[in-house]
Structure formats: C-alpha cells, structure tokens
Amino acid sequence: MTTKPEAAQDALNKLLQVVTLLNEDMRQDFERRGLTPARTHALWVLAELGPSPQRALAQALGVTARNVTGIVDGLVETGFVTREPHPGDRRATLVTFTDKGAHTVHHLQESQRTLAVQLFGQMPAERFSAFVNGMDDVLQVIQRELAKG
Amino acid sequence: MTTKPEAAQDALNKLLQVVTLLNEDMRQDFERRGLTPARTHALWVLAELGPSPQRALAQALGVTARNVTGIVDGLVETGFVTREPHPGDRRATLVTFTDKGAHTVHHLQESQRTLAVQLFGQMPAERFSAFVNGMDDVLQVIQRELAKG
DNA sequence: ATTCATTGTGTAGCTACTTCACTATGCAAC
DNA sequence: GTTGCATAGTGAAGTAGCTACACAATGAAT
C-alpha cells in the first residue's frame, strides 16, 4: 500500500469532477449542433462503422434495437442521417449520413481533437506521461473489477 | 507545446473510457441498492446538507425545483427519505433521511472509499502524485474554458 | 413448403429532465 | 391589516433515453 486512503479519495473526487465538467462541456457542444448525447454517440459510432443496419448500431452502442429505432428516428427528423434500403436484405435498412450528418461528424472529430490539445497540449512531457500511465493503471483496475462482478 | 496532438487524443480517449467504465461500475452499485443515479446523487447531497427544503436540494443538484419534486417522490416511495414539515415555514418541507436512507448513504460513502483505494492504493507514490497533478491541470483548463464559453 | 432466426417497429412503461401555470404561504410596506 | 410581491412546492404537458414484450416481414435452411 503506497497511497493513503484519504489521498485516494481526493483523487477519485477530482476524477469525478473532471468527468462532470468534461461531460458538461461536450454536451454544450452537441447542443449547439442540434444533437443530444445519445444521437451524438450514434453518429460517432456510425462514422466508425460506415452505413449500417440498426442492429449493428445497437450492438456497437450497447443498447436495445428498439432504442436505436428511436435514436435514428430523431437523427432522421433532424436531418443527420437517412434510412436507405439494404441491398440484399429487405428486412434491414442502412443508416446513412446525409451531407449535414457527415459534415457534423467531421466537426465533432475536430472539436474533440481541439479539446484534447487544450487539455494536454501545454502539459510538461513528464507529467503528461505519468498522467497517462496513471490512467492506464486505473483502467486496468476497473476492468479487472468489472470482470469479477 | 510539449504534447503531440495524437498523444493528447489518446489520453482523452483513455480518460473518456475511464469515465464510462467508472460510471457503469457505480451505476451497478446503486442499482443493487435500489437507487437510480439521480436519486443517489440527491441522497449524497442530502448527506452533506442535512435535512433540507427541496429548494436547497435543487440548487445543490443544479436542477429545477420541479425535478427535485419527482426525485424526492421516488426516494419517498422507495423508503429512503421522508418529507417532514419545516418548522417555521409552512410552505417548505424538510427532506429527511429514514433509517434505511441514512444507512444506505453510509454504505455508499464506504463503497466510494473502497473504490478509491482499489483504484489508487497500489499505485507508486510518484506516479500517483503526478496523476493528481495532471488532473489538477486538466481541471484548471476545463474551468477556464467553461468560464469563457 | 415448413420451420426457425433475424430486422425493425408498435405498445406500454420507467427515469430524468424541462417550462409554464397555479396555490399557499411568507414578508414587507403602506 | 390589507395590499402586493417573492418564495416553496406541485400539476400539466412535453422531450430524451432507456427497457421489455409482442408481432409482421423477410431470410435461410432443411
């Protein structure tokens, strides 16, 4: 045991605070673009996958297929994606970016890059790498814990 | 500029991953106790404030008074708090822990302490302090940014 | 041709959030 | 002490995000 419990608690509190503020910051960015968090997440995943049936989106997002129907409904209404027929499977639709959607995702990606640079760009190299190593440690612990139960 | 953009992006991705997993872990803990995230947050704040009128809770939680009505409704139904008359202001109610509520908050606090120790307890002192310093940097940047836009 | 799996959606319901309108009470000023 | 404004809480209505269950249409395999 090298870290005192109170210090560990302080660190966790700070981490949670960072989380809260970061979420808030990103949420505001989404909102300016007419996006909700869930719809943004869907766009983001869609950018990775390319045009996809809703089932694939559901899996990638970790939510039910029914929920994806609703999210895509919203994205269609607001003009970010369209539902195209799946060539070769008439049951499925291919969720596909509109120009606006593709454009928006591109800006989101840039925005995230900018944020990363804002957060870490000025940080001394040594501190930065220690920070990243610390986060790797934390990630490992969490993943081990979640695996257990 | 001491940190490369790609490295900064990696770091941000890791941070967001930590966030996601941590949230999921905590949410599961809440669920086991019969609590939703919003209700847990309310309990947590109530523990800091002591018995409070809903208005105070709303302010502390950063949500509307109307929303607090709903959250407290839920907490009353599930037996964590009661609405007591405010002595000296007949408009207000004092949201007050039941035994179950007080007990639960206590366990939540212990659980958070345990989590902190799990996450950071084994970390070498030097890495830990660098990690905390890094988070302080990040916090500062975010707060500066949020203040602006 | 029948059977079974899969895709998407209707229905219904919960939590969490908002705004707007309203009641009841408190409080201060005339 | 009444008038008038502020404050505490809630009803009504709506949005977003999620769930489970039921079902129609299609696909795939025997």
Side-chain angles (χ1 to χ4, degrees):
Chain A
M1 175 80 60
T2 62
T3 300
K4 291 206 178 103
E6 311 84 50
Q9 268 188 271
D10 280 357
L12 181 52
N13 283 339
K14 273 176 191 162
L15 219 184
L16 294 176
Q17 202 181 344
V18 166
V19 167
T20 303
L21 294 173
L22 221 49
N23 271 339
E24 182 56 23
D25 185 53
M26 296 191 304
R27 207 191 48 73
Q28 284 179 12
D29 191 25
F30 304 159
E31 214 172 67
R32 268 180 240 121
R33 299 190 149 86
L35 284 168
T36 61
R39 290 175 196 173
T40 308
H41 193 184
L43 282 193
W44 198 268
V45 164
L46 194 60
E48 285 174 9
L49 298 183
S52 309
Q54 296 182 187
R55 219 78 196 188
L57 280 182
Q59 184 140 22
L61 291 168
V63 298
T64 59
R66 187 57 185 89
N67 191 14
V68 169
T69 298
I71 290 171
V72 172
D73 282 352
L75 287 171
V76 169
E77 275 174 25
T78 48
F80 291 95
V81 304
T82 57
R83 276 189 250 243
E84 301 297 331
H86 189 299
D89 189 342
R90 279 181 297 172
R91 292 169 303 177
T93 62
L94 280 184
V95 182
T96 308
F97 283 123
T98 60
D99 285 352
K100 175 183 175 184
H103 200 251
T104 302
V105 164
H106 181 255
H107 283 319
L108 284 173
Q109 286 167 341
E110 284 228 339
S111 176
Q112 217 225 28
R113 233 170 283 144
T114 304
L115 176 62
V117 170
Q118 278 181 343
L119 290 179
F120 301 115
Q122 299 301 319
M123 201 179 278
E126 206 171 322
R127 174 172 298 184
F128 176 75
S129 69
F131 180 71
V132 171
N133 287 337
M135 268 200 306
D136 282 334
D137 286 359
V138 168
L139 265 177
Q140 260 192 315
V141 173
I142 300 175
Q143 281 164 342
R144 193 164 359 107
E145 282 312 305
L146 279 181
K148 278 196 288 190
Chain B
M1 174 82 60
T2 61
T3 300
K4 291 209 178 100
E6 312 85 51
Q9 268 187 272
D10 279 358
L12 180 53
N13 283 340
K14 272 176 190 160
L15 219 182
L16 294 176
Q17 201 181 345
V18 167
V19 165
T20 303
L21 295 173
L22 220 49
N23 270 339
E24 183 55 22
D25 186 53
M26 294 192 303
R27 206 191 47 73
Q28 283 179 13
D29 191 26
F30 303 160
E31 213 172 68
R32 267 180 242 122
R33 300 190 149 87
L35 283 168
T36 61
R39 290 175 196 172
T40 308
H41 194 183
L43 282 193
W44 198 268
V45 164
L46 194 60
E48 285 174 9
L49 298 182
S52 309
Q54 296 182 187
R55 220 77 195 186
L57 280 183
Q59 183 138 24
L61 292 169
V63 297
T64 59
R66 187 58 186 86
N67 191 13
V68 168
T69 298
I71 290 170
V72 172
D73 282 352
L75 287 171
V76 168
E77 273 173 27
T78 47
F80 291 95
V81 304
T82 57
R83 276 190 250 244
E84 302 296 330
H86 188 300
D89 189 342
R90 278 179 300 169
R91 294 168 304 176
T93 62
L94 280 184
V95 182
T96 309
F97 283 122
T98 60
D99 284 353
K100 174 183 175 183
H103 200 250
T104 301
V105 164
H106 182 255
H107 284 317
L108 284 174
Q109 287 167 340
E110 284 229 337
S111 176
Q112 218 226 27
R113 231 169 283 146
T114 303
L115 176 60
V117 170
Q118 278 181 342
L119 291 180
F120 301 115
Q122 298 302 318
M123 199 178 280
E126 206 170 319
R127 173 171 298 183
F128 177 76
S129 70
F131 180 72
V132 171
N133 287 337
M135 268 199 309
D136 282 335
D137 286 358
V138 169
L139 264 177
Q140 260 192 311
V141 173
I142 301 176
Q143 280 163 342
R144 192 163 2 105
E145 281 311 303
L146 279 180
K148 279 197 285 188

mmCIF file of all heavy atoms in Angstrom, chain B residues 105-148:
data_model
loop_
_atom_site.group_PDB
_atom_site.id
_atom_site.type_symbol
_atom_site.label_atom_id
_atom_site.label_comp_id
_atom_site.label_asym_id
_atom_site.label_seq_id
_atom_site.Cartn_x
_atom_site.Cartn_y
_atom_site.Cartn_z
ATOM 1 N N VAL B 105 -26.705 5.686 2.668
ATOM 2 C CA VAL B 105 -25.700 6.700 2.367
ATOM 3 C C VAL B 105 -24.369 6.334 2.991
ATOM 4 O O VAL B 105 -23.311 6.475 2.378
ATOM 5 C CB VAL B 105 -26.141 8.088 2.865
ATOM 6 C CG1 VAL B 105 -24.964 9.036 2.907
ATOM 7 C CG2 VAL B 105 -27.216 8.654 1.945
ATOM 8 N N HIS B 106 -24.464 5.834 4.206
ATOM 9 C CA HIS B 106 -23.238 5.424 4.876
ATOM 10 C C HIS B 106 -22.502 4.364 4.066
ATOM 11 O O HIS B 106 -21.295 4.439 3.850
ATOM 12 C CB HIS B 106 -23.575 4.897 6.271
ATOM 13 C CG HIS B 106 -22.370 4.495 7.065
ATOM 14 N ND1 HIS B 106 -22.050 3.175 7.267
ATOM 15 C CD2 HIS B 106 -21.404 5.218 7.656
ATOM 16 C CE1 HIS B 106 -20.930 3.109 7.976
ATOM 17 N NE2 HIS B 106 -20.506 4.332 8.232
ATOM 18 N N HIS B 107 -23.264 3.392 3.581
ATOM 19 C CA HIS B 107 -22.648 2.340 2.770
ATOM 20 C C HIS B 107 -22.102 2.893 1.457
ATOM 21 O O HIS B 107 -21.057 2.467 0.983
ATOM 22 C CB HIS B 107 -23.649 1.217 2.509
ATOM 23 C CG HIS B 107 -23.850 0.328 3.680
ATOM 24 N ND1 HIS B 107 -22.803 -0.112 4.459
ATOM 25 C CD2 HIS B 107 -24.968 -0.204 4.244
ATOM 26 C CE1 HIS B 107 -23.262 -0.871 5.431
ATOM 27 N NE2 HIS B 107 -24.581 -0.938 5.331
ATOM 28 N N LEU B 108 -22.824 3.839 0.876
ATOM 29 C CA LEU B 108 -22.351 4.447 -0.367
ATOM 30 C C LEU B 108 -21.005 5.122 -0.142
ATOM 31 O O LEU B 108 -20.084 5.008 -0.955
ATOM 32 C CB LEU B 108 -23.358 5.481 -0.878
ATOM 33 C CG LEU B 108 -24.628 4.953 -1.541
ATOM 34 C CD1 LEU B 108 -25.581 6.100 -1.847
ATOM 35 C CD2 LEU B 108 -24.300 4.194 -2.813
ATOM 36 N N GLN B 109 -20.919 5.821 0.964
ATOM 37 C CA GLN B 109 -19.671 6.521 1.255
ATOM 38 C C GLN B 109 -18.529 5.535 1.451
ATOM 39 O O GLN B 109 -17.424 5.730 0.937
ATOM 40 C CB GLN B 109 -19.850 7.407 2.500
ATOM 41 C CG GLN B 109 -20.692 8.645 2.219
ATOM 42 C CD GLN B 109 -21.141 9.360 3.477
ATOM 43 O OE1 GLN B 109 -21.150 8.772 4.566
ATOM 44 N NE2 GLN B 109 -21.540 10.622 3.333
ATOM 45 N N GLU B 110 -18.827 4.461 2.168
ATOM 46 C CA GLU B 110 -17.799 3.438 2.362
ATOM 47 C C GLU B 110 -17.400 2.809 1.046
ATOM 48 O O GLU B 110 -16.227 2.547 0.792
ATOM 49 C CB GLU B 110 -18.330 2.335 3.287
ATOM 50 C CG GLU B 110 -18.364 2.724 4.745
ATOM 51 C CD GLU B 110 -17.722 1.642 5.616
ATOM 52 O OE1 GLU B 110 -17.676 0.483 5.176
ATOM 53 O OE2 GLU B 110 -17.256 1.985 6.721
ATOM 54 N N SER B 111 -18.400 2.590 0.229
ATOM 55 C CA SER B 111 -18.168 1.965 -1.064
ATOM 56 C C SER B 111 -17.276 2.850 -1.927
ATOM 57 O O SER B 111 -16.387 2.369 -2.637
ATOM 58 C CB SER B 111 -19.521 1.729 -1.733
ATOM 59 O OG SER B 111 -19.357 1.208 -3.014
ATOM 60 N N GLN B 112 -17.504 4.144 -1.839
ATOM 61 C CA GLN B 112 -16.679 5.065 -2.619
ATOM 62 C C GLN B 112 -15.244 5.078 -2.114
ATOM 63 O O GLN B 112 -14.299 5.141 -2.895
ATOM 64 C CB GLN B 112 -17.287 6.470 -2.558
ATOM 65 C CG GLN B 112 -17.173 7.211 -3.875
ATOM 66 C CD GLN B 112 -16.685 8.630 -3.693
ATOM 67 O OE1 GLN B 112 -15.987 8.943 -2.732
ATOM 68 N NE2 GLN B 112 -17.070 9.486 -4.628
ATOM 69 N N ARG B 113 -15.119 5.028 -0.792
ATOM 70 C CA ARG B 113 -13.778 4.974 -0.205
ATOM 71 C C ARG B 113 -13.044 3.721 -0.694
ATOM 72 O O ARG B 113 -11.884 3.768 -1.098
ATOM 73 C CB ARG B 113 -13.910 4.951 1.329
ATOM 74 C CG ARG B 113 -13.076 5.983 2.051
ATOM 75 C CD ARG B 113 -13.465 6.053 3.516
ATOM 76 N NE ARG B 113 -14.720 6.779 3.729
ATOM 77 C CZ ARG B 113 -15.621 6.496 4.664
ATOM 78 N NH1 ARG B 113 -15.432 5.479 5.487
ATOM 79 N NH2 ARG B 113 -16.714 7.222 4.756
ATOM 80 N N THR B 114 -13.758 2.609 -0.654
ATOM 81 C CA THR B 114 -13.168 1.350 -1.092
ATOM 82 C C THR B 114 -12.739 1.414 -2.551
ATOM 83 O O THR B 114 -11.645 0.977 -2.914
ATOM 84 C CB THR B 114 -14.187 0.202 -0.918
ATOM 85 O OG1 THR B 114 -14.588 0.161 0.441
ATOM 86 C CG2 THR B 114 -13.582 -1.130 -1.333
ATOM 87 N N LEU B 115 -13.616 2.001 -3.373
ATOM 88 C CA LEU B 115 -13.291 2.123 -4.787
ATOM 89 C C LEU B 115 -12.021 2.953 -4.976
ATOM 90 O O LEU B 115 -11.126 2.583 -5.750
ATOM 91 C CB LEU B 115 -14.456 2.776 -5.532
ATOM 92 C CG LEU B 115 -14.223 3.065 -7.008
ATOM 93 C CD1 LEU B 115 -13.933 1.797 -7.782
ATOM 94 C CD2 LEU B 115 -15.426 3.795 -7.620
ATOM 95 N N ALA B 116 -11.939 4.049 -4.253
ATOM 96 C CA ALA B 116 -10.763 4.919 -4.371
ATOM 97 C C ALA B 116 -9.491 4.146 -4.036
ATOM 98 O O ALA B 116 -8.482 4.256 -4.735
ATOM 99 C CB ALA B 116 -10.921 6.131 -3.457
ATOM 100 N N VAL B 117 -9.575 3.368 -2.977
ATOM 101 C CA VAL B 117 -8.393 2.609 -2.572
ATOM 102 C C VAL B 117 -8.060 1.538 -3.612
ATOM 103 O O VAL B 117 -6.893 1.308 -3.928
ATOM 104 C CB VAL B 117 -8.609 1.979 -1.178
ATOM 105 C CG1 VAL B 117 -7.503 0.985 -0.855
ATOM 106 C CG2 VAL B 117 -8.665 3.070 -0.114
ATOM 107 N N GLN B 118 -9.098 0.904 -4.140
ATOM 108 C CA GLN B 118 -8.851 -0.083 -5.200
ATOM 109 C C GLN B 118 -8.144 0.550 -6.385
ATOM 110 O O GLN B 118 -7.220 -0.019 -6.965
ATOM 111 C CB GLN B 118 -10.174 -0.688 -5.678
ATOM 112 C CG GLN B 118 -10.701 -1.802 -4.801
ATOM 113 C CD GLN B 118 -11.997 -2.359 -5.347
ATOM 114 O OE1 GLN B 118 -12.653 -1.726 -6.157
ATOM 115 N NE2 GLN B 118 -12.374 -3.543 -4.880
ATOM 116 N N LEU B 119 -8.617 1.747 -6.743
ATOM 117 C CA LEU B 119 -8.070 2.383 -7.936
ATOM 118 C C LEU B 119 -6.648 2.882 -7.733
ATOM 119 O O LEU B 119 -5.808 2.777 -8.621
ATOM 120 C CB LEU B 119 -8.955 3.556 -8.354
ATOM 121 C CG LEU B 119 -10.342 3.228 -8.906
ATOM 122 C CD1 LEU B 119 -11.085 4.507 -9.259
ATOM 123 C CD2 LEU B 119 -10.236 2.331 -10.130
ATOM 124 N N PHE B 120 -6.397 3.432 -6.556
ATOM 125 C CA PHE B 120 -5.133 4.161 -6.369
ATOM 126 C C PHE B 120 -4.218 3.565 -5.312
ATOM 127 O O PHE B 120 -3.060 3.974 -5.203
ATOM 128 C CB PHE B 120 -5.427 5.614 -6.004
ATOM 129 C CG PHE B 120 -6.241 6.334 -7.033
ATOM 130 C CD1 PHE B 120 -7.526 6.783 -6.752
ATOM 131 C CD2 PHE B 120 -5.720 6.571 -8.304
ATOM 132 C CE1 PHE B 120 -8.281 7.446 -7.711
ATOM 133 C CE2 PHE B 120 -6.466 7.232 -9.266
ATOM 134 C CZ PHE B 120 -7.755 7.669 -8.970
ATOM 135 N N GLY B 121 -4.742 2.629 -4.549
ATOM 136 C CA GLY B 121 -3.987 2.143 -3.405
ATOM 137 C C GLY B 121 -2.650 1.524 -3.768
ATOM 138 O O GLY B 121 -1.672 1.667 -3.031
ATOM 139 N N GLN B 122 -2.630 0.840 -4.894
ATOM 140 C CA GLN B 122 -1.401 0.130 -5.251
ATOM 141 C C GLN B 122 -0.457 0.962 -6.117
ATOM 142 O O GLN B 122 0.573 0.471 -6.565
ATOM 143 C CB GLN B 122 -1.747 -1.153 -6.022
ATOM 144 C CG GLN B 122 -2.578 -2.144 -5.220
ATOM 145 C CD GLN B 122 -1.881 -2.562 -3.945
ATOM 146 O OE1 GLN B 122 -0.680 -2.800 -3.942
ATOM 147 N NE2 GLN B 122 -2.621 -2.613 -2.840
ATOM 148 N N MET B 123 -0.857 2.200 -6.353
ATOM 149 C CA MET B 123 -0.075 2.992 -7.303
ATOM 150 C C MET B 123 1.173 3.557 -6.620
ATOM 151 O O MET B 123 1.095 4.066 -5.513
ATOM 152 C CB MET B 123 -0.951 4.130 -7.830
ATOM 153 C CG MET B 123 -0.449 4.736 -9.124
ATOM 154 S SD MET B 123 -1.573 6.024 -9.714
ATOM 155 C CE MET B 123 -2.845 5.041 -10.482
ATOM 156 N N PRO B 124 2.330 3.450 -7.296
ATOM 157 C CA PRO B 124 3.543 4.029 -6.717
ATOM 158 C C PRO B 124 3.326 5.515 -6.408
ATOM 159 O O PRO B 124 2.667 6.225 -7.174
ATOM 160 C CB PRO B 124 4.580 3.868 -7.830
ATOM 161 C CG PRO B 124 4.070 2.757 -8.677
ATOM 162 C CD PRO B 124 2.584 2.795 -8.586
ATOM 163 N N ALA B 125 3.886 5.954 -5.306
ATOM 164 C CA ALA B 125 3.622 7.315 -4.814
ATOM 165 C C ALA B 125 3.928 8.367 -5.866
ATOM 166 O O ALA B 125 3.165 9.326 -6.036
ATOM 167 C CB ALA B 125 4.445 7.575 -3.556
ATOM 168 N N GLU B 126 4.980 8.169 -6.594
ATOM 169 C CA GLU B 126 5.398 9.184 -7.557
ATOM 170 C C GLU B 126 4.396 9.283 -8.703
ATOM 171 O O GLU B 126 3.999 10.380 -9.109
ATOM 172 C CB GLU B 126 6.778 8.818 -8.094
ATOM 173 C CG GLU B 126 7.593 10.007 -8.572
ATOM 174 C CD GLU B 126 9.023 9.584 -8.851
ATOM 175 O OE1 GLU B 126 9.575 8.782 -8.057
ATOM 176 O OE2 GLU B 126 9.564 10.025 -9.890
ATOM 177 N N ARG B 127 4.008 8.134 -9.190
ATOM 178 C CA ARG B 127 3.031 8.133 -10.275
ATOM 179 C C ARG B 127 1.703 8.719 -9.805
ATOM 180 O O ARG B 127 1.051 9.466 -10.527
ATOM 181 C CB ARG B 127 2.819 6.713 -10.784
ATOM 182 C CG ARG B 127 1.699 6.624 -11.802
ATOM 183 C CD ARG B 127 1.615 5.278 -12.460
ATOM 184 N NE ARG B 127 2.818 4.953 -13.202
ATOM 185 C CZ ARG B 127 2.970 3.837 -13.920
ATOM 186 N NH1 ARG B 127 1.996 2.948 -13.956
ATOM 187 N NH2 ARG B 127 4.084 3.601 -14.569
ATOM 188 N N PHE B 128 1.333 8.349 -8.597
ATOM 189 C CA PHE B 128 0.080 8.855 -8.053
ATOM 190 C C PHE B 128 0.072 10.378 -8.010
ATOM 191 O O PHE B 128 -0.874 11.026 -8.465
ATOM 192 C CB PHE B 128 -0.171 8.285 -6.662
ATOM 193 C CG PHE B 128 -1.411 8.829 -6.000
ATOM 194 C CD1 PHE B 128 -2.673 8.386 -6.400
ATOM 195 C CD2 PHE B 128 -1.327 9.779 -4.994
ATOM 196 C CE1 PHE B 128 -3.819 8.879 -5.802
ATOM 197 C CE2 PHE B 128 -2.477 10.281 -4.395
ATOM 198 C CZ PHE B 128 -3.714 9.827 -4.803
ATOM 199 N N SER B 129 1.128 10.933 -7.474
ATOM 200 C CA SER B 129 1.119 12.396 -7.331
ATOM 201 C C SER B 129 1.179 13.070 -8.700
ATOM 202 O O SER B 129 0.553 14.112 -8.913
ATOM 203 C CB SER B 129 2.260 12.869 -6.424
ATOM 204 O OG SER B 129 3.496 12.686 -7.073
ATOM 205 N N ALA B 130 1.872 12.436 -9.642
ATOM 206 C CA ALA B 130 1.892 13.001 -10.991
ATOM 207 C C ALA B 130 0.498 12.942 -11.607
ATOM 208 O O ALA B 130 0.058 13.879 -12.281
ATOM 209 C CB ALA B 130 2.889 12.237 -11.863
ATOM 210 N N PHE B 131 -0.181 11.858 -11.337
ATOM 211 C CA PHE B 131 -1.540 11.706 -11.846
ATOM 212 C C PHE B 131 -2.447 12.789 -11.289
ATOM 213 O O PHE B 131 -3.203 13.443 -12.017
ATOM 214 C CB PHE B 131 -2.056 10.316 -11.478
ATOM 215 C CG PHE B 131 -3.441 10.035 -11.955
ATOM 216 C CD1 PHE B 131 -3.704 9.817 -13.299
ATOM 217 C CD2 PHE B 131 -4.490 9.966 -11.059
ATOM 218 C CE1 PHE B 131 -4.983 9.554 -13.745
ATOM 219 C CE2 PHE B 131 -5.786 9.704 -11.497
ATOM 220 C CZ PHE B 131 -6.021 9.494 -12.840
ATOM 221 N N VAL B 132 -2.356 12.991 -10.003
ATOM 222 C CA VAL B 132 -3.189 14.020 -9.358
ATOM 223 C C VAL B 132 -2.843 15.398 -9.907
ATOM 224 O O VAL B 132 -3.738 16.205 -10.199
ATOM 225 C CB VAL B 132 -3.019 13.983 -7.828
ATOM 226 C CG1 VAL B 132 -3.710 15.170 -7.181
ATOM 227 C CG2 VAL B 132 -3.570 12.679 -7.262
ATOM 228 N N ASN B 133 -1.573 15.649 -10.062
ATOM 229 C CA ASN B 133 -1.176 16.943 -10.623
ATOM 230 C C ASN B 133 -1.715 17.123 -12.037
ATOM 231 O O ASN B 133 -2.184 18.203 -12.396
ATOM 232 C CB ASN B 133 0.345 17.067 -10.642
ATOM 233 C CG ASN B 133 0.922 17.282 -9.257
ATOM 234 O OD1 ASN B 133 0.223 17.758 -8.360
ATOM 235 N ND2 ASN B 133 2.179 16.910 -9.074
ATOM 236 N N GLY B 134 -1.634 16.060 -12.798
ATOM 237 C CA GLY B 134 -2.167 16.118 -14.154
ATOM 238 C C GLY B 134 -3.653 16.431 -14.147
ATOM 239 O O GLY B 134 -4.135 17.243 -14.938
ATOM 240 N N MET B 135 -4.366 15.802 -13.239
ATOM 241 C CA MET B 135 -5.805 16.077 -13.164
ATOM 242 C C MET B 135 -6.076 17.504 -12.726
ATOM 243 O O MET B 135 -7.030 18.135 -13.187
ATOM 244 C CB MET B 135 -6.474 15.082 -12.240
ATOM 245 C CG MET B 135 -6.967 13.896 -13.034
ATOM 246 S SD MET B 135 -8.192 12.980 -12.158
ATOM 247 C CE MET B 135 -7.375 12.728 -10.617
ATOM 248 N N ASP B 136 -5.247 17.994 -11.842
ATOM 249 C CA ASP B 136 -5.407 19.393 -11.448
ATOM 250 C C ASP B 136 -5.239 20.312 -12.653
ATOM 251 O O ASP B 136 -6.014 21.253 -12.840
ATOM 252 C CB ASP B 136 -4.381 19.761 -10.365
ATOM 253 C CG ASP B 136 -4.788 19.246 -8.999
ATOM 254 O OD1 ASP B 136 -6.000 19.054 -8.788
ATOM 255 O OD2 ASP B 136 -3.900 19.035 -8.156
ATOM 256 N N ASP B 137 -4.238 20.021 -13.468
ATOM 257 C CA ASP B 137 -4.043 20.803 -14.692
ATOM 258 C C ASP B 137 -5.288 20.766 -15.558
ATOM 259 O O ASP B 137 -5.781 21.796 -16.031
ATOM 260 C CB ASP B 137 -2.861 20.245 -15.497
ATOM 261 C CG ASP B 137 -1.520 20.581 -14.864
ATOM 262 O OD1 ASP B 137 -1.528 21.283 -13.816
ATOM 263 O OD2 ASP B 137 -0.480 20.139 -15.400
ATOM 264 N N VAL B 138 -5.766 19.534 -15.756
ATOM 265 C CA VAL B 138 -6.939 19.362 -16.606
ATOM 266 C C VAL B 138 -8.124 20.134 -16.047
ATOM 267 O O VAL B 138 -8.837 20.839 -16.773
ATOM 268 C CB VAL B 138 -7.276 17.862 -16.736
ATOM 269 C CG1 VAL B 138 -8.639 17.664 -17.382
ATOM 270 C CG2 VAL B 138 -6.210 17.154 -17.553
ATOM 271 N N LEU B 139 -8.312 20.026 -14.749
ATOM 272 C CA LEU B 139 -9.415 20.740 -14.107
ATOM 273 C C LEU B 139 -9.322 22.239 -14.380
ATOM 274 O O LEU B 139 -10.314 22.890 -14.716
ATOM 275 C CB LEU B 139 -9.392 20.500 -12.600
ATOM 276 C CG LEU B 139 -10.290 19.384 -12.081
ATOM 277 C CD1 LEU B 139 -10.106 19.219 -10.584
ATOM 278 C CD2 LEU B 139 -11.741 19.691 -12.398
ATOM 279 N N GLN B 140 -8.139 22.745 -14.216
ATOM 280 C CA GLN B 140 -7.946 24.179 -14.436
ATOM 281 C C GLN B 140 -8.322 24.590 -15.849
ATOM 282 O O GLN B 140 -9.015 25.578 -16.062
ATOM 283 C CB GLN B 140 -6.498 24.554 -14.171
ATOM 284 C CG GLN B 140 -6.266 25.186 -12.803
ATOM 285 C CD GLN B 140 -4.879 25.779 -12.744
ATOM 286 O OE1 GLN B 140 -3.906 25.126 -13.102
ATOM 287 N NE2 GLN B 140 -4.786 27.029 -12.290
ATOM 288 N N VAL B 141 -7.840 23.798 -16.805
ATOM 289 C CA VAL B 141 -8.125 24.128 -18.202
ATOM 290 C C VAL B 141 -9.623 24.118 -18.455
ATOM 291 O O VAL B 141 -10.181 25.037 -19.069
ATOM 292 C CB VAL B 141 -7.423 23.131 -19.154
ATOM 293 C CG1 VAL B 141 -7.863 23.381 -20.592
ATOM 294 C CG2 VAL B 141 -5.921 23.241 -19.036
ATOM 295 N N ILE B 142 -10.282 23.067 -17.983
ATOM 296 C CA ILE B 142 -11.720 22.964 -18.219
ATOM 297 C C ILE B 142 -12.454 24.141 -17.605
ATOM 298 O O ILE B 142 -13.314 24.757 -18.234
ATOM 299 C CB ILE B 142 -12.285 21.667 -17.616
ATOM 300 C CG1 ILE B 142 -11.610 20.446 -18.226
ATOM 301 C CG2 ILE B 142 -13.777 21.593 -17.855
ATOM 302 C CD1 ILE B 142 -12.074 19.147 -17.603
ATOM 303 N N GLN B 143 -12.091 24.457 -16.369
ATOM 304 C CA GLN B 143 -12.806 25.535 -15.702
ATOM 305 C C GLN B 143 -12.591 26.856 -16.415
ATOM 306 O O GLN B 143 -13.513 27.664 -16.538
ATOM 307 C CB GLN B 143 -12.388 25.619 -14.236
ATOM 308 C CG GLN B 143 -13.100 24.558 -13.399
ATOM 309 C CD GLN B 143 -12.448 24.314 -12.061
ATOM 310 O OE1 GLN B 143 -11.285 24.677 -11.856
ATOM 311 N NE2 GLN B 143 -13.172 23.685 -11.148
ATOM 312 N N ARG B 144 -11.391 27.050 -16.914
ATOM 313 C CA ARG B 144 -11.114 28.276 -17.663
ATOM 314 C C ARG B 144 -11.961 28.311 -18.944
ATOM 315 O O ARG B 144 -12.577 29.324 -19.272
ATOM 316 C CB ARG B 144 -9.624 28.341 -18.000
ATOM 317 C CG ARG B 144 -9.203 29.695 -18.518
ATOM 318 C CD ARG B 144 -7.675 29.942 -18.480
ATOM 319 N NE ARG B 144 -6.873 28.838 -17.989
ATOM 320 C CZ ARG B 144 -6.129 28.053 -18.786
ATOM 321 N NH1 ARG B 144 -6.100 28.257 -20.090
ATOM 322 N NH2 ARG B 144 -5.391 27.098 -18.265
ATOM 323 N N GLU B 145 -12.034 27.161 -19.613
ATOM 324 C CA GLU B 145 -12.803 27.105 -20.844
ATOM 325 C C GLU B 145 -14.294 27.329 -20.602
ATOM 326 O O GLU B 145 -14.944 28.063 -21.331
ATOM 327 C CB GLU B 145 -12.608 25.737 -21.518
ATOM 328 C CG GLU B 145 -11.312 25.600 -22.266
ATOM 329 C CD GLU B 145 -11.057 26.789 -23.189
ATOM 330 O OE1 GLU B 145 -11.896 27.063 -24.053
ATOM 331 O OE2 GLU B 145 -10.000 27.462 -23.026
ATOM 332 N N LEU B 146 -14.801 26.674 -19.562
ATOM 333 C CA LEU B 146 -16.224 26.801 -19.276
ATOM 334 C C LEU B 146 -16.577 28.226 -18.900
ATOM 335 O O LEU B 146 -17.661 28.708 -19.215
ATOM 336 C CB LEU B 146 -16.638 25.841 -18.165
ATOM 337 C CG LEU B 146 -16.889 24.405 -18.600
ATOM 338 C CD1 LEU B 146 -17.295 23.553 -17.414
ATOM 339 C CD2 LEU B 146 -17.984 24.369 -19.652
ATOM 340 N N ALA B 147 -15.658 28.887 -18.243
ATOM 341 C CA ALA B 147 -15.902 30.281 -17.851
ATOM 342 C C ALA B 147 -16.076 31.145 -19.095
ATOM 343 O O ALA B 147 -16.930 32.044 -19.134
ATOM 344 C CB ALA B 147 -14.734 30.790 -17.016
ATOM 345 N N LYS B 148 -15.299 30.824 -20.131
ATOM 346 C CA LYS B 148 -15.381 31.616 -21.358
ATOM 347 C C LYS B 148 -16.672 31.342 -22.131
ATOM 348 O O LYS B 148 -17.451 32.253 -22.393
ATOM 349 C CB LYS B 148 -14.163 31.300 -22.259
ATOM 350 C CG LYS B 148 -12.909 32.068 -21.847
ATOM 351 C CD LYS B 148 -11.868 32.060 -22.962
ATOM 352 C CE LYS B 148 -11.178 30.711 -23.074
ATOM 353 N NZ LYS B 148 -10.041 30.733 -24.019
#
